[in-house]
Amino acid sequence: MKFNIKRLLIAALALILCSSCQGLNSVPISSTPTVDIAKESLATLTPRPKLPQWFVDSLPTNIQTLEPFMDIRGYDLENYQKPIDRSLIETFWYDGATNWPSSVVSLANQVLEEGKNPGLGVRDLHAQGITGKGVSVAIIDQPLGLNHPEYKGRIFVYKYFNPTDKKPQSDLHGPAVASLLVGTNTGTAPDAKLY
C-alpha cells in the first residue's frame, strides 16, 4: 500500500469540516440576530473591535505627534498644531468621527471619499450597468454586523458556523470583504447577492 499525502490531507480536511459543522445553524437573514453598530459613524467602513477597558484607558487623550499608519478614529485633532499633509493623511485609519484641524478637514474628507473607489476601472463598469446584478457570491469569513451601512440589505442568506457562540460580534475582516464586494460606496459588484 502506497502512502499518499494528498489523500491524507483531504481526509483530514474533510474530518475537520464535518466536525466543525455539527449543530450548524442556517437561517434566512430576516430571522438572524443582528449586531448593533449604530454607535459607529456612517463613514466608518469597518466597525472597530472591542478593546479591553484597561487598554482604552491607557490611550492618550491628547495626541502630541501624528505618525504614519496611526489609528485616529474618533480622535479630536482640532487643536493639533503640526503640519498634516496628504501623504500622511493617506496612511491613517480614520472615520467620520475624527475631528480634524479646520485647515485639513476638506482634504481629509476628499482622501476618505477617494479611498472608497474600488479602482481598476470598476466605476466605469458601474456606469455601463455592469454592477453584479444576477450574480450570487458566497463569502466564508469572520462574523458580519448585518446592519452595516455598506452592505445592509444585500445579504441573501447568512450562516454563522460557531454553535457555541450565541452572540457573535462583528469582526474586522468579514465586514471589510463584504463591503469591498457588495458595498454601496466601495463595492465591486454592489448589486450581487451575498451569501
Side-chain angles (χ1 to χ4, degrees), residues 38-189:
K39 294 178 185 174
E40 292 290 324
S41 163
L42 287 180
T44 302
L45 298 181
T46 307
R48 295 183 83 171
K50 293 193 187 309
L51 300 171
Q53 190 59 44
W54 64 265
F55 182 77
V56 172
D57 293 341
S58 72
L59 292 173
T61 55
N62 185 12
I63 295 178
Q64 300 297 320
T65 303
L66 290 171
E67 299 290 336
F69 306 103
M70 284 181 73
D71 183 350
I72 57 170
R73 292 175 286 184
Y75 275 93
D76 185 353
L77 304 172
E78 187 175 11
N79 297 318
Y80 188 78
Q81 299 297 318
K82 296 178 183 175
I84 305 173
D85 64 6
R86 182 183 182 93
S87 63
L88 185 60
I89 291 173
E90 288 174 345
T91 69
F92 292 143
W93 289 24
Y94 67 96
D95 58 17
T98 303
N99 190 15
W100 295 94
S102 58
S103 61
V104 294
V105 169
S106 66
L107 179 59
N109 289 336
Q110 179 185 356
V111 170
L112 184 63
E113 286 305 310
E114 289 171 4
K116 295 176 184 179
N117 184 346
L120 300 174
V122 169
R123 294 258 167 100
D124 293 337
L125 293 173
H126 291 171
Q128 295 174 37
I130 302 169
T131 60
K133 188 174 181 103
V135 175
S136 296
V137 182
I139 294 176
I140 300 172
D141 212 321
Q142 295 174 336
L144 296 177
L146 302 178
N147 288 322
H148 194 292
E150 268 302 295
Y151 52 77
K152 183 177 181 179
R154 289 177 171 78
I155 301 174
F156 193 67
V157 174
Y158 179 72
K159 293 181 183 182
Y160 184 65
F161 287 88
N162 186 347
T164 61
D165 186 1
K166 301 302 180 199
K167 287 189 167 188
Q169 294 294 314
S170 180
D171 217 320
L172 289 171
H173 198 266
V177 170
S179 295
L180 291 172
L181 179 61
V182 298
T184 302
N185 297 297
T186 62
T188 302

